[in-house]
Amino acid sequence: MQNEKKICQSCKETFMIYPEDFTLYDKLKVSSPTFCPECRLRRRLAFRNERTLYKRQCDMCGENVISAYSPKNRYTVYCPKCWYSDKWDANSYGRNYDFSRNFFEQFLDLDKAIPHIALFQKNNVNSAWVNYETDDKNCYLNVGGHFNQDCAFNQYALKSRDSLDNFWLIQGEFCYENILCENAYKNVGSILCFECQDTWFSFDCRNCSNVIGCSGLRYKKHHIFNIPVSKEEYEKFVFENLNGSRKKFAEVKKKSEDSWKKFPQRALFIERCVNCTGNVIKDSRNCREVYNTEKSDNVAYMFFDLDMKDSADVTSVWNGELMYEVIAGVTALSRVLCSWQVIDHSSDINYSGVMVNSNNCFGCSNMRKGEYSILNKKYSPEEYKSLVEKIKKQMDDTPFTDKKGRVYKYGEFFPYEVSPFSYSETVANEYFPLNEKDIEKEGFRSEDHSVDINYDVEVVIPPDSIGGVDDSILNKAIKCEVTGKLFRITKSELDFYKRFNFPVPAKSPFARHRDRLRFISEHMKLLDRICGRCSLPVKSVYKEKEFPIVYCEKCYQQEVY
């Protein structure tokens, strides 16, 4: 089978489908896509609202709740306790399939009618503000992680404790402001560091401790800007420069980032892998164009996934196989197609949203333990299989066409119009930002769900040093130096800063998240570079301005070991 060149329905750019892709699509029993990989990713991200949160009332119990759905939105919303209760039945919202109407129109009618869970979470304790999280305890504003305790403001944290403001942290403890770090203890402001402790503002270090501003170190201790120092010199530097002053923190961070540029960097982070392309890939094989993926086999076009097999175009999923065009899921998933927010041993889920421990469901919404259901109506196994095949045929014979003329046959993810969120509320706007005019131009939902909030609270500028902060700041607000929006400091957050002598931030949690996300979003395309050692061509995610010298994998390993 040869490569096939296609024109994306959305951006009109050319993209390629390779023989390996066709093999995988055959295994998944779907036709090849008509949107390019980037537009497919953006379309999925437009169904995920992580941080645009609102206060409203649960439509069942009446209690105040934090929700991803604005009070102005069209949806009924239940708090997690009510949503998971037996006080309502998702099948009671079921309806007959009408072959005189398009599938997506009928799904949208169902989705508007059925209650939605305020924030997507399960098995959490004292963690009301976490989203897309399971099994957390005493956590606040975590997103996309699992099994964390006493953590806050993290994205994709897994099995971590007492850590704040990290982006992809696995088994971390006492960590702050790190990106893509694992097995970390007391790491601060570091990127791609593994099995490290007491590591500050460092890049791609392994098995190191007590290092500051370093790059590419292996099994080192007491280094500052890659220069070995005595224990006494190291402690003196910490006392003088990492002493709780925001200004000093910023100066050391800037000097560290400048220092990284002096050293050769790994062109791509692909480790213990066979036949893989993309970046930040570990312990995987046969992966094509995947980013931030671990322990996966025979997958393509993945983004932030862990333990996946025989899947394509999957985002933010841990542990699944035979999945295609899915965003958000966890725990033993199988044969899930064109769906979002699917968890807990679910299988054979097609064109559905928010499914928990369900099997054999097509076009369903907000179900727990659902089975053999279409538009939330339950059928016998025989009736279900027969009707599903008829619906698939209808989707191919009379496909949905959106207002921009894009055609959606069976196998294409949901049209933008079906998303429960406006584009500006979603993660899509973080990775692919658009102004309101362009949002409408490209056919995304553009609705103003903002709510006016009047803060009757004193606004203060936090002192430069944590030593000048007392508990009175908990009753005041800080104006974000980036966005101008007000934010508050929580008691547990302040205790964390005081415990580790960190300055109170002058940026809001969302602005800090955007700073970390920028490192991810700016490194999602492969560029042509030249290895600085062997002079052979090499692919890299780093521009020359960022890292002047990059090495191919072979040369880099010779350099650092």
Side-chain angles (χ1 to χ4, degrees), residues 188-230:
V188 179
S190 296
I191 302 174
L192 288 166
C193 290
F194 298 79
E195 288 78 38
C196 291
Q197 65 180 37
D198 292 288
T199 297
W200 299 72
F201 306 116
S202 294
F203 192 93
D204 190 18
C205 292
R206 297 297 178 87
N207 299 96
C208 294
S209 62
N210 302 107
V211 299
I212 300 170
C214 294
S215 174
L217 296 188
R218 302 294 187 266
Y219 299 96
K220 300 297 183 182
K221 187 174 184 180
H222 294 129
H223 279 60
I224 300 175
F225 307 123
N226 280 53
I227 299 173
V229 297
S230 67

Side-chain angles (χ1 to χ4, degrees), residues 1-3 18-23 26:
M1 190 175 294
Q2 297 182 340
N3 297 343
Y18 301 99
E20 300 90 342
D21 296 330
F22 284 114
T23 301
D26 287 343

Side-chain angles (χ1 to χ4, degrees), residues 60 78-90 368:
M60 177 180 283
Y78 288 173
C79 67
K81 182 179 179 180
C82 289
W83 193 89
Y84 281 106
S85 74
D86 293 327
K87 297 179 181 178
W88 71 288
D89 180 9
R368 294 176 294 113

